[in-house]
Amino acid sequence: MPRRALLTASERDSLLAFPSANEDLIRHYMLGEPDISVVRQHRGDQNRLGFAVLLCSLRYPGCPLGADMVVPDVVLSFIARQLHLNPAVWPLYAQRTETRREHLRELQAYLGLTPFGARHFRQFVRHLTDLAQQTDKGIVLATALVGALRQGKVMAPVVEVIERVCAEALARGTRKVYEALTGPVPTEHRERLDGLLVPRETASISALSWLRQPPGVPNAKHVLAHIERLAAVRSVGLPDALEQAVHQNRLLKLAREGGQMTAQHLRDLEETRRHATLAAVVLENRATLIDETIDMLD
């Protein structure tokens, strides 16, 4: 089964896009005297403009300028004005692929950049794992990665590689979330979590489905039923402050996912994921039961 895309099409397009707002152009693409000096060492207006555009591209968004990469007119005009060049010469640049490669090698040395390689893949997966324990949003991880690459003077790879780094970090971060929610739970109590998936003696629904029953109208019968559910939740015996073991965003997301699954679906999950999901559902359900009971009493 193919892996779900981490980024949407619009997110992929925006991740390594050129800036367009004037203030962003000024912040990222104002050329200093050393920049202009190195640009002017090249012969021909088209090579000077092309070299300058490639320089700016390596600084922001931080990736080499691909042969099929479209440079917005506003970017070309902004850079060309600083060099007193006509942006119309841009199509003449690098008609020889070798020219672009030579300029890229020169700029790597000038800017102190390192091409992205296998060691960077591993390094940045580790770097993103902590963030992945806080959020599973692909664009947040990818944006953080691109920022870290710029800070580390590493040229950004293609978006597909960025997605793979983020997906690996997310997988690691998710495993750590599962371990944080299940590690402190004794074996006996994990068995009690599994017991929530078994049908109750007095009904055909599972104990977990019974715990998630709505409160009903505020009366003594429903208040007592909710108190009984709350006692059942507490009898699972989850450690105190377990909800503080993981970031609130991941806990709530896991609880929502578990709340949408059937008992059969939950039983089919891998053991650590199943217990972590059930723990998140129980923790969220406990808070909900307390709030609903108080509301009914009010």
Side-chain angles (χ1 to χ4, degrees):
M1 184 176 181
R3 174 182 288 172
R4 180 178 64 87
L6 203 63
L7 301 174
T8 66
S10 61
E11 288 170 344
R12 288 166 62 89
D13 290 341
S14 66
L15 188 62
L16 297 176
F18 286 96
S20 56
N22 191 58
E23 57 269 25
D24 291 330
L25 292 171
I26 293 172
R27 181 165 65 253
H28 297 301
Y29 292 163
M30 281 297 294
L31 300 173
E33 282 302 322
D35 299 332
I36 294 174
S37 177
V38 75
V39 167
R40 286 177 175 166
Q41 293 175 16
H42 296 84
R43 290 184 297 177
D45 288 355
Q46 70 272 19
N47 285 329
R48 288 175 177 176
L49 180 58
F51 187 88
V53 170
L54 185 55
L55 186 158
C56 291
S57 172
L58 286 169
R59 280 183 173 157
Y60 190 94
C63 58
L65 186 65
D68 58 346
M69 203 167 179
V70 177
V71 182
D73 290 341
V74 66
V75 171
L76 288 174
S77 297
F78 184 83
I79 297 172
R81 278 198 305 271
Q82 297 177 72
L83 299 169
H84 306 291
L85 297 173
N86 185 346
V89 302
W90 168 250
L92 301 177
Y93 173 64
Q95 292 182 345
R96 290 189 311 117
T97 306
E98 183 60 28
T99 301
R100 191 185 297 269
R101 284 201 295 264
E102 289 173 0
H103 287 178
L104 180 58
R105 285 193 295 268
E106 183 179 346
L107 282 167
Q108 281 181 226
Y110 175 69
L111 297 173
L113 297 175
T114 304
F116 187 92
R119 69 182 179 88
H120 296 108
F121 189 101
R122 296 187 294 271
Q123 172 189 340
F124 286 103
V125 165
R126 292 192 297 270
H127 176 81
L128 287 180
T129 297
D130 284 346
L131 180 59
Q133 293 177 69
Q134 302 172 34
T135 180
D136 63 349
K137 294 186 181 299
I139 188 59
V140 174
L141 295 173
T143 302
L145 173 57
V146 172
L149 290 167
R150 289 191 198 113
Q151 187 174 5
K153 288 187 173 294
V154 179
M155 291 189 293
V158 295
V159 175
E160 289 78 8
V161 174
I162 291 175
E163 277 193 288
R164 289 203 295 273
V165 173
C166 294
E168 178 62 26
L170 181 57
R172 292 190 182 195
T174 299
R175 285 197 297 270
K176 287 182 176 291
V177 168
Y178 294 162
E179 291 164 2
L181 284 172
T182 58
V185 181
T187 301
E188 176 187 351
H189 295 220
R190 296 185 199 186
E191 292 173 354
R192 293 178 191 174
L193 286 172
D194 285 333
L196 296 175
L197 303 177
V198 177
R200 300 184 74 220
E201 294 180 0
T202 57
S204 60
I205 61 173
S206 67
L208 185 62
S209 296
W210 170 72
L211 290 176
R212 294 186 295 197
Q213 293 293 303
V217 296
N219 59 35
K221 175 184 175 182
H222 290 147
V223 168
L224 289 173
H226 246 40
I227 291 174
E228 183 184 359
R229 292 186 181 98
L230 188 55
V233 164
R234 286 177 172 162
S235 71
V236 173
L238 293 179
D240 293 337
L242 182 62
E243 63 273 18
Q244 297 176 18
V246 299
H247 195 279
Q248 188 74 359
N249 289 342
R250 295 305 303 267
L251 182 67
L252 293 176
K253 177 73 178 297
L254 195 56
R256 283 197 298 270
E257 289 175 351
Q260 295 169 357
M261 296 180 186
T262 64
Q264 180 59 53
H265 190 178
L266 286 163
R267 278 195 292 269
D268 291 340
L269 296 179
E270 181 271 328
E271 183 178 68
T272 303
R273 181 184 177 188
R274 181 177 71 250
H275 290 153
T277 303
L278 286 170
V281 170
V282 167
L283 290 170
E284 178 65 14
N285 190 248
R286 180 176 67 187
T288 300
L289 285 168
I290 292 172
D291 290 343
E292 291 176 348
T293 301
I294 291 172
D295 286 344
M296 285 194 292
L297 287 171
D298 285 343

